[in-house]
Amino acid sequence: TPPILPRTSSPTQEARRAMSSKVRVTRLVACATLALSTRATGMATAPAAVDVASTAEFDAKIRTSPRAWLVEVYSGMCGACREFEPTWERLRSHASRLRAARVDVDREAGAELASSLGVFDLGVPAVLLFAEAGPSYDTIMAGDVYPLSRLTKRVYRATRGRDLQIDGEGYFLKRAVHSAAAASSQEEVPHGRRR
């Protein structure tokens, strides 16, 4: 009888295992970076998301705010939006350095706001990140429902390297426009960037 040799892995299988391990570490780092421990911030839980009902309210609360905002655009009649709801709540708690807001497109004013932001071109549910002064934003998710790990990674990528300062309450502040040229170039951006 031939001897029984130990099972060996092919180079492809070893590469997959190594990549899987790297992905897990990357996800863990992204989640750990985004999440603020309650001991560090003094916040017991993330504050409730602000419901934005109109363009004027959006401008007053989000566009003119010095803080960075994570905004969910949703519809109560959308099955994918209802499916995304638990993930949104978990994302909100993971990204505790960002203020959170919601826009309901079932309301007329919410639909007008979503249309002005160009969300209907991208799809709902949508998650937008407003981390810079001005009209531009980053599209974290639109039209499809992503898992929490992918969303936290995208938020992490969108916030790192932006020189975001932290205010006294532990929230990210929007990055200010540093020159008039940068301000005029931002005004020309009608909709957000897709990442």
Side-chain angles (χ1 to χ4, degrees):
T1 62
I4 298 176
L5 299 174
R7 187 178 214 178
T8 59
S9 300
S10 71
T12 306
Q13 289 173 331
E14 290 176 17
R16 283 186 187 149
R17 273 193 220 111
M19 182 58 74
S20 175
S21 175
K22 288 178 185 177
V23 167
R24 281 191 297 256
V25 169
T26 302
R27 288 178 182 164
L28 180 63
V29 168
C31 288
T33 303
L34 278 175
L36 275 176
S37 70
T38 57
R39 282 177 262 126
T41 63
M43 289 190 287
T45 59
V50 175
D51 286 320
V52 179
S54 68
T55 302
E57 186 179 3
F58 181 82
D59 290 341
K61 288 186 178 178
I62 296 170
R63 287 201 197 245
T64 60
S65 172
R67 292 180 174 164
W69 286 79
L70 197 61
V71 178
E72 177 197 22
V73 182
Y74 72 100
S75 168
M77 296 183 285
C78 165
C81 297
R82 288 192 301 269
E83 176 187 337
F84 178 66
E85 188 62 29
T87 305
W88 163 252
E89 292 301 324
R90 290 184 13 232
L91 175 64
R92 212 172 48 74
S93 67
H94 279 276
S96 59
R97 288 191 182 200
L98 299 168
R99 288 299 314 251
R102 302 179 76 207
V103 176
D104 185 356
V105 298
D106 294 336
R107 299 178 184 164
E108 186 176 338
E112 289 174 12
L113 174 58
S115 179
S116 71
L117 292 172
V119 172
F120 289 135
D121 296 334
L122 304 172
V124 291
V127 177
L128 313 174
L129 175 67
F130 291 84
E132 294 184 15
S136 67
Y137 60 84
D138 289 301
T139 303
I140 303 300
M141 179 190 86
D144 295 323
V145 175
Y146 296 163
L148 180 64
S149 58
R150 185 172 178 188
L151 290 169
T152 54
K153 189 174 182 179
R154 290 173 73 107
V155 171
Y156 171 74
R157 284 183 179 167
T159 56
R160 74 174 177 181
R162 289 240 176 125
D163 301 323
L164 299 178
Q165 301 297 316
I166 299 173
D167 69 5
E169 293 181 32
Y171 292 108
F172 280 134
L173 296 173
K174 289 180 182 173
R175 189 174 71 100
V177 179
H178 296 291
S179 69
S184 66
S185 69
Q186 280 191 347
E187 289 173 8
E188 296 171 9
V189 179
H191 304 298
R193 300 183 294 250
R194 194 175 214 17
R195 288 198 178 254

